[in-house]
Amino acid sequence: MDSLIETPDIQEKIFYNGTIYTDGTNFTNSIRVNQGVVQELGVDPDEIPDAIRIDLNGTFIYPGFYDSHVHLVEAGYGFSSGCFLYGATDADAICALVKPIAEKLPPGEPMFGGGFSLENYNNWSLEDRHKLDQITGDRPVFLGDQLGHNAIVNSAALKLANITAQTKSPPGGLIICEDGEPTGMLRESAMTLVGNVLFDTFSDKTIESVSKHFLDTWASFGYTSINDLSGFSGGRMLRPDMLRKMEKEGNLSVRVNYLYTLFSLDEIDDALKYMGNDTPMVRFIGLKIFVDGAYAAGQAWTSWENQEGNHGLSYVYRNDEYGSAYNLSRIIERAEELGLNVQYHVQGDEAIEAVLSSLEKIYAKNHTLNGTHTLIHLAFVTDDQIKRIAQFNGKVVMTVQPAFWHVESDLTRYYGDRYYSAYPLKELFDSGVPVGISTDFGVSPLAVSSPTAIMNISLRGGENPTVIQPLTREDVIRGLTSGSAATAPFNDIGKLTEGYDADMVVYDQDLYSVPTESITNKTPKVLATYIRGNIVYDSNK
């Protein structure tokens, strides 16, 4: 392939002599792009002599892939200090990894790390907190677990957030205490007590270079758009000004559609300040709400009793039991009044039910929904719920993570035999409802985040295809293009047809013809990635 040169949007271009998929199945051999937008399919380049000609030399183009649930801005925080705790399973192992990194940081600079995993999070003790204090001193420290749903903080972070023996656990969270004193273990929404204070103290300078590294990596994978959650169950991490600065300087290689993580009704008006400031590469798309807890920690909110004798955990409720601020129906009603899109972390069937029943009441009253509502994860969605989702005519959509089939360990200790039928993705794709595919990187590892790695897992049904029905190649490509585009309120990406932006990924082989066993995280090879017809990644550079 030649002519991989950067040219302005205003320059007309012809991409020809290749197979150009315009959606999941249809294709052409050439397209004309003008001012960054696809103008015509199946053109003869000789008939437009003044256009820049880009010879594809028999390669294969797909609409730019869209990761509809990922944490790349947050990676700028989490990986900024290089504090990786993967494999650490107790206080001594955690402190051994933290100590050399803490010693290198400037005095007082906050520290963020993550990746540890404990057998019993509630057993983190005051002695463990003191061990961490001895090596971190007066710098605030926040260490997230591998799931992103639990965190260890030191005494300096507790002080910063004014967490004392008198501080009550928020709905959907737990401050672990020993003899009435916080040990520094914060579970689920309790993390926000520190996170929403501490994360604002990080400078753009600290975050930008690391976030850019991951954004560039996603461009090299063939992604042209992402939904960045800009936060997690531990708090908000919004940096739109930093992203717009990167865009202005020509350093932003992926479109970033970002969300405001909401924990209560009282916060919803604060999200409005992010509306009306969109640029072509940085766009605000609405709210993210955690309805239930971590599936892999046994905290999916289910209608049935799990193996630990409970129904999981919820961040919000179906009534005013914990006050109107935590009533999910009231939150959704207010979002609809404001025209805000909402995305929901829902793993258990009861969490899904809470969202659907709220939306059905609004739909019955207004005969429509103003926003797009995206259900994320859906481990234990039921057949009846899938049918009800389809009745919203595309206003309720989904995004799922096939990589979870591969990375989630045996969770029968929490869910019994129901574990084996979790994440029924094929049923979702066959429902007719738009379904996006996403990585949830930060939870899922980098090794399974490229579209080809996802395709390999999807085609095999994870590690247990006798239980889980695999996806098809068309399912995966649609999920990474038009399915993911349906989660955002735009009509300019997800396809390569007239009127759509020329966001594209170029492969050396056809994803439809490569044998499953030959598909890896790097094969077929991404040769180039384009946004609005301009190259943002070139494998030759």
Side-chain angles (χ1 to χ4, degrees), residues 168-173 189 263-266 301 312-328 330-331:
K168 295 182 179 180
S169 297
S189 67
F263 295 95
S264 76
L265 180 61
D266 298 336
W301 184 14
L313 176 146
S314 63
Y315 279 61
V316 287
Y317 303 88
R318 301 179 71 173
N319 52 41
D320 289 343
E321 178 183 358
Y322 287 88
S324 60
Y326 297 96
N327 184 322
L328 180 61
R330 295 183 186 275
I331 294 172

Side-chain angles (χ1 to χ4, degrees), residues 374-430:
T374 303
L375 305 177
I376 307 167
H377 305 313
L378 301 110
F380 294 116
V381 64
T382 68
D383 291 342
D384 173 68
Q385 289 170 340
I386 295 172
K387 293 177 182 178
R388 289 159 60 197
I389 292 168
Q391 294 177 358
F392 289 100
N393 300 315
K395 297 298 289 186
V396 180
V397 299
M398 300 171 273
T399 183
V400 296
Q401 302 74 37
F404 283 3
W405 283 344
H406 176 76
V407 301
E408 301 285 18
S409 59
D410 184 346
L411 298 176
T412 53
R413 66 186 184 278
Y414 294 131
Y415 304 116
D417 289 343
R418 294 177 190 264
Y419 159 74
Y420 296 111
S421 57
Y423 299 118
L425 304 191
K426 184 58 177 170
E427 287 87 337
L428 300 181
F429 275 90
D430 289 347

Side-chain angles (χ1 to χ4, degrees), residues 80-153:
S80 59
S81 63
C83 185
F84 309 123
L85 304 177
Y86 299 100
T89 57
D90 59 35
D92 290 337
I94 291 170
C95 289
L97 293 170
V98 169
K99 182 179 180 180
I101 297 169
E103 290 174 345
K104 295 178 182 178
L105 294 177
E109 182 174 306
M111 180 177 178
F112 192 118
F116 71 88
S117 181
L118 304 180
E119 183 175 349
N120 190 327
Y121 288 83
N122 292 345
N123 286 347
W124 186 263
S125 66
L126 289 175
E127 180 183 355
D128 295 331
R129 191 188 91 190
H130 296 323
K131 289 179 181 178
L132 184 62
D133 288 343
Q134 288 175 357
I135 61 172
T136 57
D138 61 357
R139 76 174 69 254
V141 173
F142 186 107
L143 306 175
D145 76 332
Q146 190 170 355
L147 302 174
H149 283 254
N150 303 278
I152 297 165
V153 300

Side-chain angles (χ1 to χ4, degrees), residues 353-370:
E353 187 63 32
V355 175
L356 289 182
S357 61
S358 295
L359 291 173
E360 285 168 342
K361 291 176 184 177
I362 295 170
Y363 197 85
K365 178 181 178 181
N366 301 329
H367 308 294
T368 188
L369 294 175
N370 294 322

Side-chain angles (χ1 to χ4, degrees), residues 67 70 72 79 86 146 214 217-218 221 223 403-408 438-450 453-454 457 521:
D67 187 347
V70 69
L72 300 189
F79 295 98
Y86 299 100
Q146 190 170 355
F214 284 103
T217 298
W218 256 240
F221 287 162
Y223 292 110
F404 283 3
W405 283 344
H406 176 76
V407 301
E408 301 285 18
S438 47
T439 64
D440 201 4
F441 170 72
V443 176
S444 289
L446 192 66
V448 294
S449 293
S450 72
I454 292 171
I457 294 168
N521 63 338

Side-chain angles (χ1 to χ4, degrees), residues 327-338:
N327 184 322
L328 180 61
S329 292
R330 295 183 186 275
I331 294 172
I332 297 176
E333 287 171 1
R334 181 60 176 154
E336 276 287 294
E337 290 172 3
L338 296 170

